Amino acid sequence: MGTSRSPSGGGKHRSIEVKFKNMEYPVILSPAFIVEMNTITQTEDGISFGAACTLSRMGDVLKQAVKTLPPHQTEVFLAVLEQLRWFAGLQIRNVAAVGGNIMTASPISDLNPVFMATDCKLTLMDKDGSRVVQMDDTFFTGYRKTVVRPREVLVSIEIPYSKKGQFVSAFKQSPRREDDISIVTAAMSVTFSPGTDVVDKLRLSYGGMAAVTAMAKVTANRLLGRRWGEELLQEACSTLAEEMTLDPSAPGGMVTYRRTLTLSFFYKFYLMVLQKLRKQGMNVEKVGSECLSAAEIYNPEMPSSVQIYQTAQDKQGQDDSVGRPMMHVSAMKQATGEAVYCDDVPLYENELYLALVISSKAHAKILSIDTSAAEGMPGFVCCLLADDVPGCNSTGPIEYDETVLAQGQVTCVGHIIGAVVADTQFHAQRAAKAVKIQYEELQPVVTIQEAITAQSFFKPMRIIQKGDLEAGFKQADHILEGEMHIGGQEHFYLETNITLAVPRGEDGEIELFVSTQSASKTQLLAAKALGIPANRVVVRVKRMGGGFGGKESRSTILSTVAAVAANKLKRPVRCMLDRDEDMLITGGRHPFYGKYKVGFLNSGKIVALDVTYYANAGNSKDLSLSVLERCLFHMENSYHVPNIRGQGFLCRTNLPSNTAFRGFGGPQGMLVAENWITDVAQSLGKPADEVRRLNLYAEGDLTHYNMKLEQLTLDQCWDECLSRSGYHERQAAIDLYNRQNRWTKRGIAITPTMFGISFTATFLNQAGALVHIYTDGSVLLTHGGTEMGQGLHTKMIQVASRVLGIPCSNIHISETSTNTVPNTSPTAASASSDMNGAAVKNACEILVKRLEPYKNKNPKGKWRDWVNAAYFDRVSLSANGFYKTPDLNYDFESHTGRPFNYFSYGVGCSEVEIDCLTGAHKNLSTTIVMDVGHSLNPAIDIGQVEGAFMQGVGLFTLEELHYSPKGVLLTRGPGSYKIPAFGDIPKHLTVSLLRDAPNQKAIYASKAVGEPPLFLAASVFHAIKDAISASRAESGLSGPFRLDSPASAERIRNACNDRFTKLCPPAEPGSFTPWSVQV
C-alpha cells in the first residue's frame, strides 16, 4: 500500500488508484482556483492553456480560434477538437483538466498523440524556477511515467498554430464511439516543402501501441523527401507494419486489429492530405470517388423514431385503461429521484455494513484464512466464515450444489469465502481486503473448448430429435457445416445487488429488503441457511433498478450471507455490491458454442439439420439446464425443418455461475439458426430474405417438439416489416452504394423471431394475488410479481381497474412481499403479466361478485356506496386470486406434451454501414413489427420492444466480457465493458405493434413482450455480416464465412480481408499466452 500527495487534475485516475490499487493520498491539492494554472493567453506561436483549464473551456477557445484565424493556422486546433468530440462525456469534460490528461500519462490517451505530433510545449515549475519541455518521443519515459521531476508542477501547455503546407489529422477507434476509451488513437502531422508535394517533416504518433504514446520515427524518417503518392503509401504501410508491432500477449489483446488500425489510420490520413493538396492546386493523384468515404469525418445525424399501435375501441369506457398508452405509475418518481429503492431505506440506528471476502483463484484448495489483520482495523465487528452458518451451508436455486460460504475449496474467481462486518462501508471493505488467504492452486477449466477436451460437463445433456436425419441428408442437394461462438453478456442493471437484513428480535424472525426477482426463493434459501422455518423470514421488494434475469437466482448469494450476519449479530446489516464486485461475482448470460450441419435443396429449402450446442455454465448448475432446454426449443428459430436433431451440453467450468438473462438461452439458439440459414443463402447465391421466407413456419405446422402452431402471425409480421422498411428499395440502394464505395459498405437483413411463452419448468407457471378494498373505496393490490422497471405493476393496476370498474388512481401497489402472496414464481420468462394479471383478475372478480347484490340494490350508487354497504353487511372486502397456466406438460424423455402456452412473433429489418478500415459501424435504420396481441398498454409495450432490441444490439454487436486464461474477469466496470449508448440507437427506428391479432391464451387477448423482441437485434448482426460480404467481394472472397458474436469493431475489421490486413498476420495460436480467452 502506497501513500502520496497528488494534485487532483487527474482525479478520475487517482480515484481508480485508491479503489483498486489501495493507494492512499492523505493530501489532495486542487488546482482549480490557482490563477496561473487557469490562464489562457495567445502567444506568437500558438495558444497557451493553464494546466487546470477544463477540456470544455479549452474546446470553446479553440473553436473560436478556428472561426477567426486563417485556415492554414488552425490544423492543430481542428485535430484537438476532433479528439475532444469523443473524449468522455460533457460532464467529464466540464471538470477534467488538460494537465491531468497529460500527467496521468495514459498510453491510450486521446490528446497526447496530438500534442506529441504537433510539437506542443509544456511549462514546468518547481520552487527553483521554471523550464519548458517539448512533448516529443522523450517525454514519456515508461508506463505512466514522464520526464517531469517529483516536485515539479505542470503549469501550462502551448498548442501551436499550424504553418502553411502543414496538415494535421487525429484518429480514435474505441469499442463504442461515444464516451469510451481508445483501443488505438493516433495523430499525424505532415509539412511539405513550399509549393510542392514533397514531405519535409512528418510526425506519426500512436496511442495503444506500446506502454507509452509512441512515435513511428523509422517510418517517418523513411518518407522524408518523398512525393505524396501511391509509392509513399506502400512504403509507409509496409514500414509501419514492421515498426508498430505488439507482443501477441500484450495487455488489452486485439493485437492483429490494433496493428491493422495503425495502417488504416495512415491510409485515411493519406487520402485526406491528397484532397487538401489538390484543393491547393498541387498536381497529385486524384482520390477516386469510391475512396472518398474513407476520408470523411463522422458527423452524427439527428435521430428520428416512429411508434405505431392500435388505439382502444371507441365503445371502451374512459375509466377502462386497458389497451391505452398509460404512463408507468412510477415514471415521475423515477425521473425526479423520489422513487425509493432498497438502498434508500433510511439507516437503522444500530445498523452495520457487510463486505464480502472473495476468492482470487479460479480453482484452488483453501489452506488457511487469516483474519487477524482485519480484526485490528477501525470499525471492525466480526468476520463470518463457513462455520458461522447456523443452518445448512449448501445452497442453490434448484440443486444445492453451491455453498453460502466456501468450505475447503474455491471453484471460481469471485467465489464468496467469507464476509467482514464493520460500522461503515469504508471500514468493512478495507477490512475485507486485509483478510489473508493461502491457496493450493488447482488446474482451472475456463473455456468451452477446455471443457470439451476435459469432458467437464454437468448432467444431464439434452436431445430433441424429429424425423429421419439420415434420410434428410440423403435428400439434400447440398450439405454444409459451420460453427460459431456467442459471447456472454453482463446484466448491467443500474442498481447492483443489495440486501438490508433486519432481525426482528424474537422467534428468529428476520426481515429482508432485497433487490430480487424471486422473493420466495430468497426467503427459502435464507431460512435454510439460518436453520429456521420459512415463516420466520419476510422478504420485501419495493422495486428494482433493473434485473434482466440477473436477480432471479444470483441475488440470493448476497441476501443469504447478509441474513446470516444479521442473525448472528442481532443487528441490521446492509450490503450493496460495488459495480466491479457485482460483475465479478454474479455471472451473466451463458456463452455458447454451436456446431451445425445443414442439408438443403437447390431452392434453398432446408431438409435436414444436426446442431450441437455447448453452454458455459460456470461452476454450478444454477438455472443452466433450463437455459439449455430453451435454447434447444428455439434452435430452428422460425423455420420448419422436417428432419432435425439438437444436442445440448452444459460445460462445467471455473467461472462464476452463469444464469438467467433476458431470452434465457433462446437468443443463442436462434442466432445459430440465423447463421446457418445465412450460410445456405450465401452458398446458393440467393437473396437471404427469399431463403428465410421460403422456410418460415406456416399455420398448423408442427414444431420439432411436436407442438402445433395455431394463430400464427409470422407471415403477417414478415410482410408488414418488408413493406414498412421498404426492404427491396433499400436493397437496391445498398447495392448501388456498395458499387460506388470501396472502404465503406452497407448491409441489410431481415430476421424473424418466434418465442415460446411459459416457464419450461411446468410447476412455475402459477401466480397469486391479494386484493383489499378499504371502506373509503381505495384498493390495495398485491401480486406475486416484482417491479423492475418493466411496468408490471402498471399493467396489474390496469387489469384491476377494468374488473372493478374504478379509475386507476383508486388502486395502489405498495410492494411485493412473502407475507402477502406466498410461494411466488420468479418474475421471469416474460409470463408475469399473463399469470399475475390472471390472478389479479380472479381476485377482483371474486370481489365484484360479492359487491353485486349491493350494486343491484342501489344501481344509481357509486363505488364507495357499494363498498360501505358490503362492509356494514359484514362481507369480506379482501380476496385471494390464483392462476395456473393450463395444458403445460412437456416431457423430455418421451418428447410429448406442450412446453409453451403460445408464441410471441416478430420481425426486424435493419440497415447498417461499416467502415471497412476501422471496423466501426453505424446503425442506420431499423423497422420492427411485433405481435403483442391486444396490447394491455402500448406505451409500455413499445418501450419494452425498444429496450429489448437495444439490449440485443449490445449482445450481438458491442458487449464483450474478457477473461484471462486463468479465469479472471478483466472487464469489471463501465470503463472496460461497453453497453449501447445513445449513438448506437438506429438513426431511424420504427416500431409497429401488429394490428388485429388477439391472443385468446392470455389476459385480455394480450401477449408477453419482455424477452421476445431482444432477438430482433440479430437483424443488425446479419446486416453487418451482409456489409462485410460486400467488402470481402472486393478482395475476391465469396461464400459463407465465420463471424462470431458480438460483431465488434475488431471482428468486423479482421473479417474485411484487404491489403492492410495481409500486412499484419496474426501470431500462430499456441505460440503465446493470450491476454484474454474466448470462454
Side-chain angles (χ1 to χ4, degrees):
M1 186 179 290
T3 61
S4 181
R5 65 173 57 87
S6 171
S8 64
K12 184 178 174 187
H13 180 63
R14 294 290 173 261
S15 64
I16 291 171
E17 289 183 329
V18 170
K19 180 170 175 57
F20 295 111
K21 298 182 181 179
N22 295 330
M23 294 290 289
E24 289 184 17
Y25 292 99
V27 179
I28 302 286
L29 306 176
S30 173
F33 301 103
I34 299 173
V35 174
E36 295 88 340
M37 297 181 71
N38 283 276
T39 302
I40 300 174
T41 56
Q42 283 197 301
T43 68
E44 190 176 327
D45 298 320
I47 302 177
S48 175
F49 293 89
C53 281
T54 66
L55 297 178
S56 290
R57 188 175 171 212
M58 183 174 78
D60 291 340
V61 171
L62 292 179
K63 285 176 187 174
Q64 187 60 35
V66 169
K67 287 180 181 178
T68 56
L69 292 171
H72 73 268
Q73 287 190 299
T74 62
E75 286 277 321
V76 180
F77 300 165
L78 287 169
V80 172
L81 288 169
E82 175 60 20
Q83 295 301 73
L84 284 178
R85 275 212 301 160
W86 309 112
F87 192 109
L90 180 61
Q91 296 94 328
I92 297 294
R93 295 196 297 272
N94 284 342
V95 294
V98 60
N101 181 77
I102 296 168
M103 294 306 299
T104 53
S106 169
I108 52 172
S109 164
D110 296 346
L111 292 175
N112 286 343
V114 184
F115 297 154
M116 286 178 64
T118 57
D119 298 327
C120 288
K121 294 176 181 176
L122 305 179
T123 299
L124 307 173
M125 184 179 289
D126 61 15
K127 62 183 179 65
D128 297 321
S130 64
R131 64 182 178 125
V132 175
V133 300
Q134 188 167 307
M135 279 191 73
D136 55 21
D137 58 308
T138 64
F139 181 73
F140 297 107
T141 58
Y143 179 68
R144 296 198 179 271
K145 294 179 180 177
T146 68
V147 297
V148 179
R149 297 166 191 151
R151 295 191 177 275
E152 279 185 318
V153 172
L154 172 61
V155 178
S156 65
I157 175 174
E158 184 182 69
I159 302 177
Y161 302 125
S162 53
K163 302 174 178 62
K164 285 188 177 179
Q166 181 182 8
F167 304 106
V168 183
S169 293
F171 306 93
K172 171 181 177 176
Q173 183 58 44
S174 51
R176 183 181 69 198
R177 195 183 301 274
E178 295 172 278
D179 196 5
D180 198 0
I181 57 174
S182 306
I183 298 170
V184 173
T185 182
M188 303 178 188
S189 172
V190 62
T191 306
F192 293 99
S193 298
T196 74
D197 64 344
V198 176
V199 177
D200 180 56
K201 184 178 179 182
L202 180 62
R203 293 255 182 148
L204 307 174
S205 178
Y206 289 98
M209 294 302 297
V212 297
T213 304
M215 301 284 282
K217 293 178 69 177
V218 173
T219 303
N221 290 335
R222 194 170 288 184
L223 301 180
L224 296 179
R226 305 281 293 274
R227 296 191 64 191
W228 198 260
E230 182 64 31
E231 285 186 17
L232 175 142
L233 174 65
Q234 292 182 7
E235 177 78 13
C237 290
S238 59
T239 309
L240 269 175
E242 293 173 7
E243 183 177 7
M244 302 307 289
T245 58
L246 279 170
D247 187 291
S249 303
M254 299 185 278
V255 169
T256 299
Y257 176 52
R258 287 154 71 184
R259 292 186 62 210
T260 306
L261 281 175
T262 63
L263 310 188
S264 295
F265 285 160
F266 182 82
Y267 179 61
K268 284 175 174 281
F269 180 59
Y270 167 79
L271 295 176
M272 290 174 175
V273 172
L274 269 184
Q275 288 177 286
K276 291 176 180 178
L277 287 172
R278 279 190 73 85
K279 280 184 180 178
Q280 292 185 357
M282 294 291 171
N283 184 26
V284 293
E285 297 171 21
K286 183 180 179 182
V287 178
S289 61
E290 75 281 1
C291 295
L292 288 175
S293 60
E296 289 177 357
I297 293 175
Y298 173 71
N299 288 297
E301 293 178 45
M302 180 65 71
S304 66
S305 66
V306 177
Q307 301 172 336
I308 303 163
Y309 61 90
Q310 195 167 358
T311 56
Q313 296 179 356
D314 292 337
K315 62 183 180 181
Q316 189 171 317
Q318 284 302 307
D319 282 343
D320 185 355
S321 62
V322 170
R324 300 188 192 278
M326 175 178 157
M327 186 171 67
H328 192 297
V329 292
S330 295
M332 293 302 292
K333 291 190 287 286
Q334 288 165 322
T336 59
E338 295 169 279
V340 174
Y341 291 88
C342 199
D343 201 39
D344 296 321
V345 175
L347 290 175
Y348 285 80
E349 187 177 348
N350 58 343
E351 185 177 304
L352 299 170
Y353 204 91
L354 179 144
L356 299 176
V357 177
I358 58 175
S359 170
S360 60
K361 308 297 180 186
H363 194 198
K365 292 179 181 177
I366 298 173
L367 300 180
S368 66
I369 302 173
D370 182 2
T371 63
S372 57
E375 290 167 8
M377 292 278 190
F380 176 88
V381 175
C382 84
C383 186
L384 294 173
L385 298 172
D387 291 341
D388 295 299
V389 178
C392 182
N393 193 40
S394 298
T395 191
I398 299 174
E399 295 185 19
Y400 298 140
D401 62 345
E402 302 181 57
T403 55
V404 177
L405 298 172
Q407 203 159 16
Q409 72 165 350
V410 291
T411 52
C412 70
V413 176
H415 197 149
I416 301 174
I417 296 171
V420 170
V421 183
D423 59 346
T424 67
Q425 179 181 9
F426 176 75
H427 287 154
Q429 291 180 339
R430 191 175 173 201
K433 289 177 182 176
V435 175
K436 295 182 175 63
I437 303 166
Q438 287 192 319
Y439 304 93
E440 179 188 323
E441 287 197 65
L442 305 171
Q443 182 63 37
V445 174
V446 175
T447 70
I448 289 174
Q449 298 302 327
E450 288 172 356
I452 293 171
T453 301
Q455 290 293 289
S456 178
F457 302 122
F458 288 110
K459 293 181 179 179
M461 59 88 66
R462 287 296 194 211
I463 298 178
I464 298 181
Q465 186 165 350
K466 183 185 177 186
D468 188 332
L469 204 59
E470 187 176 341
F473 281 116
K474 284 181 180 176
Q475 178 192 353
D477 296 322
H478 309 276
I479 296 173
L480 64 77
E481 297 185 36
E483 60 184 353
M484 80 176 300
H485 183 274
I486 303 160
Q489 187 180 22
E490 161 61 29
H491 299 93
F492 220 94
Y493 22 66
L494 288 178
E495 176 200 38
T496 57
N497 275 284
I498 175 172
T499 294
L500 170 59
V502 183
R504 285 306 179 197
E506 62 180 46
D507 299 327
E509 289 185 7
I510 190 168
E511 192 170 23
L512 303 177
F513 298 85
V514 188
S515 181
T516 181
Q517 296 170 238
S518 188
S520 289
K521 185 59 68 174
T522 301
Q523 173 194 33
L524 290 169
L525 292 181
K528 186 173 187 291
L530 297 178
I532 59 176
N535 63 6
R536 311 294 167 85
V537 181
V538 175
V539 176
R540 298 173 62 180
V541 184
K542 182 77 171 175
R543 61 170 59 85
M544 284 167 275
F548 310 118
K551 294 173 182 174
E552 182 176 345
S553 64
R554 302 316 293 168
S555 58
T556 62
I557 64 177
L558 176 64
S559 58
T560 306
V561 174
V564 169
N567 179 73
K568 177 175 179 172
L569 297 169
K570 308 304 180 196
R571 292 172 66 179
V573 172
R574 185 186 303 245
C575 180
M576 185 174 191
L577 298 181
D578 286 346
R579 178 66 64 185
D580 60 300
E581 292 178 297
D582 197 286
M583 291 184 72
L584 180 66
I585 294 168
T586 61
R589 189 186 295 276
H590 292 69
F592 265 71
Y593 168 64
K595 294 173 64 176
Y596 53 86
K597 177 181 175 184
V598 60
F600 51 99
L601 305 178
N602 288 325
S603 64
K605 189 72 174 175
I606 312 295
V607 292
L609 173 69
D610 191 5
V611 61
T612 303
Y613 294 97
Y614 297 89
N616 194 328
N619 69 335
S620 73
K621 285 183 79 169
D622 190 72
L623 306 175
S624 296
L625 183 60
S626 295
V627 168
L628 185 69
E629 288 171 355
R630 185 169 280 274
C631 170
L632 292 174
F633 282 132
H634 292 77
M635 65 183 173
E636 87 303 21
N637 188 7
S638 307
Y639 309 114
H640 183 251
V641 183
N643 306 291
I644 185 170
R645 178 177 68 183
Q647 302 179 83
F649 296 86
L650 291 175
C651 297
R652 182 176 194 155
T653 64
N654 295 112
L655 296 182
S657 192
N658 286 311
T659 189
F661 199 138
R662 199 177 201 166
F664 205 75
Q668 294 97 315
M670 291 188 282
L671 189 65
V672 173
E674 289 303 313
N675 213 57
W676 50 251
I677 206 157
T678 300
D679 285 357
V680 168
Q682 287 188 323
S683 66
L684 291 171
K686 288 181 175 290
D689 65 298
E690 289 183 15
V691 175
R692 285 185 167 93
R693 184 69 179 86
L694 177 67
N695 288 283
L696 280 183
Y697 272 124
E699 178 76 18
D701 281 347
L702 291 179
T703 67
H704 58 289
Y705 41 89
N706 294 313
M707 183 170 166
K708 187 177 181 180
L709 296 176
E710 299 169 318
Q711 293 184 295
L712 181 125
T713 59
L714 258 180
D715 51 347
Q716 294 167 253
C717 292
W718 183 273
D719 293 341
E720 183 179 333
C721 191
L722 277 179
S723 173
R724 287 197 183 279
S725 65
Y727 180 87
H728 295 297
E729 295 84 354
R730 283 181 179 274
Q731 182 68 74
I734 286 168
D735 291 342
L736 177 62
Y737 181 91
N738 288 344
R739 287 195 298 272
Q740 294 175 341
N741 291 275
R742 171 64 185 93
W743 298 110
T744 57
K745 298 291 183 184
R746 290 181 178 174
I748 192 169
I750 183 169
T751 57
T753 189
M754 182 178 99
F755 198 88
I757 304 302
S758 290
F759 285 95
T760 51
T762 304
F763 71 92
L764 291 174
N765 294 286
Q766 58 176 298
L770 176 63
V771 181
H772 299 319
I773 303 174
Y774 295 99
T775 55
D776 66 351
S778 64
V779 174
L780 181 64
L781 169 61
T782 310
H783 59 90
T786 54
E787 177 63 49
M788 57 190 110
Q790 84 280 38
L792 178 60
H793 284 352
T794 306
K795 287 184 174 181
M796 295 306 95
I797 288 172
Q798 289 176 278
V799 170
S801 169
R802 168 175 278 191
V803 180
L804 297 175
I806 60 175
C808 290
S809 57
N810 282 23
I811 305 168
H812 179 63
I813 297 178
S814 175
E815 64 181 6
T816 305
S817 58
T818 54
N819 60 351
T820 53
V821 180
N823 310 319
T824 57
S825 295
T827 305
S830 303
S832 296
S833 290
D834 292 0
M835 297 194 308
N836 290 289
V840 168
K841 181 171 179 280
N842 175 231
C844 291
E845 285 174 342
I846 292 170
L847 291 168
V848 167
K849 193 169 184 180
R850 291 177 189 168
L851 291 173
E852 196 171 332
Y854 307 98
K855 292 175 72 174
N856 292 336
K857 283 182 184 176
N858 183 13
K860 293 185 179 180
K862 295 185 178 179
W863 168 255
R864 188 169 176 177
D865 300 329
W866 305 324
V867 167
N868 276 283
Y871 169 72
F872 285 115
D873 207 21
R874 295 178 297 175
V875 171
S876 172
L877 295 175
S878 176
N880 289 300
F882 184 76
Y883 174 79
K884 68 174 183 177
T885 311
D887 305 323
L888 297 179
N889 50 6
Y890 188 78
D891 179 62
F892 259 96
E893 301 304 319
S894 63
H895 299 301
T896 58
R898 296 174 71 253
F900 303 120
N901 190 28
Y902 62 88
F903 295 91
S904 283
Y905 303 101
V907 176
C909 174
S910 294
E911 181 183 353
V912 303
E913 180 181 306
I914 65 169
D915 183 333
C916 305
L917 291 167
T918 64
H921 81 275
K922 294 187 281 189
N923 297 326
L924 300 178
S925 173
T926 293
T927 300
I928 292 171
V929 177
M930 199 75 208
D931 173 14
V932 298
H934 282 179
S935 172
L936 291 176
N937 185 325
I940 283 176
D941 285 350
I942 289 174
Q944 285 290 292
V945 172
E946 292 174 341
F949 172 78
M950 285 311 301
Q951 199 162 41
V953 167
L955 169 64
F956 295 135
T957 71
L958 186 61
E959 299 178 43
E960 283 192 280
L961 290 163
H962 290 287
Y963 286 89
S964 78
K966 291 192 174 183
V968 180
L969 179 63
L970 303 169
T971 44
R972 298 194 203 175
S976 53
Y977 184 83
K978 300 300 169 181
I979 62 173
F982 291 117
D984 297 301
I985 300 170
K987 295 298 172 281
H988 304 286
L989 176 61
T990 299
V991 174
S992 175
L993 303 184
L994 189 68
R995 293 177 62 89
D996 300 321
N999 170 39
Q1000 305 309 325
K1001 297 288 184 74
I1003 183 80
Y1004 295 133
S1006 66
K1007 276 192 175 183
V1009 71
E1011 293 171 291
L1014 182 139
F1015 183 70
L1016 297 180
S1019 62
V1020 177
F1021 179 90
H1022 284 284
I1024 288 171
K1025 199 169 184 181
D1026 185 47
I1028 294 171
S1029 295
S1031 174
R1032 290 167 64 86
E1034 297 274 5
S1035 301
L1037 300 170
S1038 61
F1041 63 96
R1042 178 172 173 175
L1043 180 68
D1044 289 342
S1045 174
S1048 61
E1050 175 194 14
R1051 289 199 174 106
I1052 294 170
R1053 179 64 187 102
N1054 290 346
C1056 294
N1057 287 16
D1058 53 48
R1059 58 173 168 161
F1060 302 117
T1061 58
K1062 289 173 183 174
L1063 291 170
C1064 305
E1068 197 66 36
S1071 63
F1072 64 97
T1073 301
W1075 174 73
S1076 71
V1077 291
Q1078 192 175 62
V1079 298

